[in-house]
Every structure is written in structure tokens, then in C-alpha cells.
Amino acid sequence: MNKIDHEIRLSNPDMGGEEAKAAYDAVMSRWPGEGVKTAQFEDMFAKYVGVKYAIACANGTVALHMIWSSYGIGGGDEVITPSLTFISTATSLYYVGAKPVFAEIKEDTFNIDPEDVLKKITPKTKAVIAVHYAGQPADMDELKKICKEHNLILIEDAAEAHGAEYKGKKAGSLGDAAMFSFTCTKIITTGEGGLILTNDKDINDKVRLLKNHGQTAPYQHDSWGSNYRFNDISAAIGIEQLKKLPKIFKTKNENAKYLTEKLNKIKGIKTPAIASGRTHPFMIYSILLDENLINKRDSILKYLQDNKIQARAYFPPAHLQKVFEKEGYKEGSLPVTEKTWKRIISLPFGVRITKEEMDYVRETLGRALKESNRVAAGL
Ligand SMILES: *Cc1c(COP(=O)(O)O)cnc(C)c1O
């Protein structure tokens, strides 16, 4: 048995001397607030993705708030979102009084199901938000077609999708506007941070006002706004992280290949699928248990956690969270999402994970599954 003397951490970013030096320089510049470094980071990110405007801000959640607000989405409006996502994809709508309408996912990629999106459209629908689960782009062509036909705005929640591609185009350039996050579990990180991307100048201008108190000139406030600014220390770190992104992407894919080959030898699970025309950054590495093991998921998860592996089940369906009680969903409202989630195990997959750690994960998971398979088979 492989011995591991430490926790296999969920967040394990590729950060070191370069970021430390950049942060040091930002401190020594005596301008830690938003300034030249933030502008440089925005410019680099916009060029990298291939869009006109990038606006950095405090985090991905407030980036979503600013997107809804700048598109004029408000009270009584509906936005279609997957339920298998981090909560703020949907809770961000409550900032503007809009209502999340949850759609199903597809079991193979865990991404929003365009067919179900169609079924959820009402006269009140204003937008669709496509979450790129684990970073793998959703079915953007199908969603684009639906949004065009029904005159809806298409937003990308690309919080997990740095560097991912869809038919040769980068995530973040695939809808009307996109949000990225740089919190510490993401593919690249600035500690906390967010970014909005768009080709629409009007949206860019509105977001820039919103993030800085609606200020058009010093102490002149033409519209409502808040303080959702970024800062130059984080931006300096972000610039170094962005330089490393191609390398991080490559390493993650090599690690995913290694882990997938190992895990494919275990009975009772399905490893992540990559749909055609896409690249996958594997911010998350989620496996799907066979249906007959659905009741074993929680005990397998606990076994992994008890054995120093920070496994999770991304994400508990949003529509069943108490915060959305008043929306009237209940167990059974989204059967595919609910059933799929009950079979998901997300393994820790930070970019610095080692072969030794992956071997250990494989062995530990193998042991948990052997026991569960035996019980499931009635042996
Ligand atoms: C991380 C994440 C967010 C929230 O971003 P923060 O920067 O943490 O506010 C939203 N949606 C998805 C899919 C995420 O993974």
C-alpha cells in the first residue's frame, strides 16, 4: 500500500516565486489599489480569450451581479440556469430581484441540457446562463441558436473554464458576456478575484460604472454603483498566473490522462467524458458511480475523506437548497440532475497533484469500491 502522510488538498495551485515577487513589487510600488497592474491584467486576459473588453472585479459572484444589472435584468425576469452548479450562479440573480429557473443537465458532461432549456422558456425569460462544469464548455452552438430564436441573452459562467476551448474558440468568447473567478480552487488564482468579458462596449461601460460607485469623474456619481473593484496586488499575481496558464492546462490534461487510465481499471465508475470539439481544463475531476451504487456514494465519499483525500460531490443541486425554497422546487423537480448528483464523486485535482498522490487516490477508491460492489452484488 502506498503511504501518504498528508492531506491531498482540493486547492493546490501552481504558485511560487514569480507570484511572490510580483506581489512584492506591487506592494513596493505603494499603489496597492486598482491601477496599472489591474489594467494590464485585464488587457492580457481579453487578448488571451480574444474579446474586446475585460473588467476585473472583487470576485466571480459580484461579476455575475454586474452582468445581470448591466443587461437590465430585474424584478420579475426569469433566467434559466443549471442546478448542478456553485450556488452563486443562481443566488446572484437575487441581487437584482430576478428569478432562477432551473434546467436539467446531461449525464455525460454534467452541462446544461439545451432541450430542457427550451422547455423552461416562458414570456418572462430574459437570459440563459451556461455553466461550463469543471471547465468543459457547454453545448454553446445549440444554446446560441435557442437564445437567438427566443431573443434571449446568453451568459457564460466560465468560473471554472480558464483556457478551455469550444470549436477552436476560447471559453469567455462564446456568448454575450462571460464571468471568470480566481478564487483559490480555480485553475489559476489571485486569492480572490473575478472578471467580466464582453465585446459589447455599452456593457463594458455600465460594468465599469457599477464596480466603482457609478462614478463618472472624481466624486461625481451619475448612477447607482458599489465597490466591486479589484486591486493591483492580486492583479500582479494574476498576470504571473495567466502566463502559466498554458503550462497548467497541459499538466492538468496529462494528469487527467494518467488518472483516467488508472481509474478505468476499477469496476463501478465512469471517468470524465470530453465531448467532441472541446478541450477540458479539469478544474474538477468528477467520476460517476454506476447506478446500482447510488446508495453508496456518501459512504465512499466519507471513506476517501477519512483517508486524507479531500473529495467532494460537486455540486449539491441548487434547486433543493433552502435559499430557493420560495421558488417551489422539491425533490423530484429535476430528476436527471438529482440522480446524477447522487452518483458524483469529485476527486481533489489541484495542478500540483503528484503521480504518487493519484496512485494513492486510485488505491483508496479501489478499496472503497470493492467493498461497495460486493455489497451491491449481494455477496
Ligand atoms: C467559483 C464559482 C463561482 C463563484 O465565484 P467566486 O469568485 O467564488 O465568487 C460561480 N460559479 C461557478 C460555477 C464557480 O465554480
Side-chain angles (χ1 to χ4, degrees):
M1 232 292 296
N2 217 321
K3 277 266 183 291
I4 287 281
D5 59 0
H6 56 273
E7 285 281 318
I8 302 188
R9 277 161 45 185
L10 203 57
S11 163
N12 194 356
D14 181 355
M15 272 188 147
E18 297 84 357
E19 287 79 4
K21 165 88 172 47
Y24 177 87
D25 290 345
V27 169
M28 295 313 283
S29 77
R30 310 283 184 331
W31 187 265
E34 249 199 41
V36 290
K37 285 289 159 193
T38 299
Q40 193 186 335
F41 178 57
E42 291 173 336
D43 196 44
M44 272 177 78
F45 209 96
K47 287 207 174 79
Y48 176 75
V49 173
V51 297
K52 279 193 194 142
Y53 306 104
I55 309 104
C57 60
N59 58 64
T61 301
V62 299
L64 288 171
H65 174 199
M66 290 192 282
I67 287 175
W68 305 134
S69 187
S70 56
Y71 277 100
I73 289 167
D77 293 339
E78 294 179 357
V79 173
I80 300 175
T81 165
S83 173
L84 194 83
T85 182
F86 181 67
I87 198 71
S88 72
T89 311
T91 46
S92 62
L93 289 162
Y94 278 4
Y95 279 111
V96 294
K99 185 181 157 76
V101 172
F102 295 104
E104 290 280 30
I105 48 149
K106 304 206 303 188
E107 188 191 286
D108 55 347
T109 58
F110 311 124
N111 274 329
I112 193 165
D113 181 357
E115 275 180 37
D116 200 48
V117 169
L118 256 183
K119 288 183 202 151
K120 301 283 159 75
I121 294 173
T122 76
K124 291 180 178 168
T125 310
K126 286 286 176 347
V128 175
I129 181 161
V131 176
H132 304 317
Y133 181 96
Q136 169 165 223
D139 296 336
M140 295 308 288
D141 280 353
E142 291 82 349
L143 293 170
K144 235 177 181 159
K145 187 163 168 273
I146 292 168
C147 287
K148 197 159 175 232
E149 270 166 20
H150 295 266
N151 200 21
L152 307 174
I153 297 149
L154 178 57
I155 303 302
E156 293 176 82
D157 180 334
E160 305 172 357
H162 315 69
E165 289 185 6
Y166 177 84
K167 300 185 179 174
K169 285 179 74 185
K170 287 242 156 43
S173 69
L174 307 169
D176 293 299
M179 167 278 261
F180 282 86
S181 163
F182 303 102
T183 196
C184 65
T185 48
K186 306 301 200 242
I187 295 159
I188 58 173
T189 180
T190 58
E192 295 284 355
L195 195 96
I196 292 163
L197 290 177
T198 183
N199 283 315
D200 188 329
K201 182 170 186 309
D202 182 47
I203 296 300
N204 169 70
D205 295 349
K206 282 180 176 155
V207 169
R208 289 202 177 276
L209 281 177
L210 277 168
K211 80 173 226 187
N212 194 22
H213 307 290
Q215 187 168 271
T216 48
Y219 300 100
Q220 181 179 320
H221 307 277
D222 289 6
S223 58
W224 181 86
S226 187
N227 173 5
Y228 286 169
R229 292 185 305 259
F230 202 43
N231 71 82
D232 269 21
I233 300 174
S234 295
I237 293 170
I239 289 165
E240 297 308 313
Q241 286 276 284
L242 194 52
K243 288 185 200 160
K244 289 182 183 174
L245 178 54
K247 191 186 103 209
I248 290 172
F249 200 94
K250 187 162 166 275
T251 305
K252 286 213 134 197
N253 271 268
E254 285 163 5
N255 287 343
K257 189 161 174 275
Y258 181 83
L259 186 62
T260 296
E261 271 169 20
K262 296 246 158 186
L263 293 184
N264 280 344
K265 297 190 181 115
I266 299 181
K267 248 183 69 185
I269 59 166
K270 229 176 91 198
T271 48
I274 306 182
S276 74
R278 288 153 234 223
T279 64
H280 197 327
F282 292 100
M283 185 228 126
I284 294 169
Y285 187 103
S286 286
I287 57 169
L288 192 65
L289 291 178
D290 284 356
E291 273 193 65
N292 65 336
L293 297 173
I294 199 162
N295 295 323
K296 298 278 176 244
R297 198 275 308 272
D298 288 348
S299 61
I300 295 172
L301 204 52
K302 184 166 182 306
Y303 186 80
L304 295 174
Q305 289 162 354
D306 287 348
N307 284 281
K308 301 198 171 82
I309 297 169
Q310 291 183 353
R312 299 281 185 271
Y314 286 131
F315 293 92
H319 70 282
L320 297 176
Q321 298 285 331
K322 196 155 180 229
V323 59
F324 294 127
E325 208 165 54
K326 72 172 164 113
E327 306 295 344
Y329 291 90
K330 54 183 189 314
E331 193 79 45
S333 296
L334 294 171
V336 179
T337 299
E338 291 164 25
K339 197 166 168 196
T340 304
W341 175 70
K342 285 182 186 149
R343 295 165 58 199
I344 283 180
I345 293 178
S346 311
L347 300 170
F349 202 63
V351 63
R352 293 175 66 244
I353 195 164
T354 62
K355 282 206 164 75
E356 191 192 18
E357 288 173 334
M358 288 189 279
D359 290 345
Y360 173 75
V361 168
R362 184 237 168 272
E363 280 168 26
T364 312
L365 183 65
R367 253 183 289 129
L369 271 156
K370 203 165 170 188
E371 179 61 15
S372 299
N373 275 322
R374 199 179 58 77
V375 175
L379 298 171

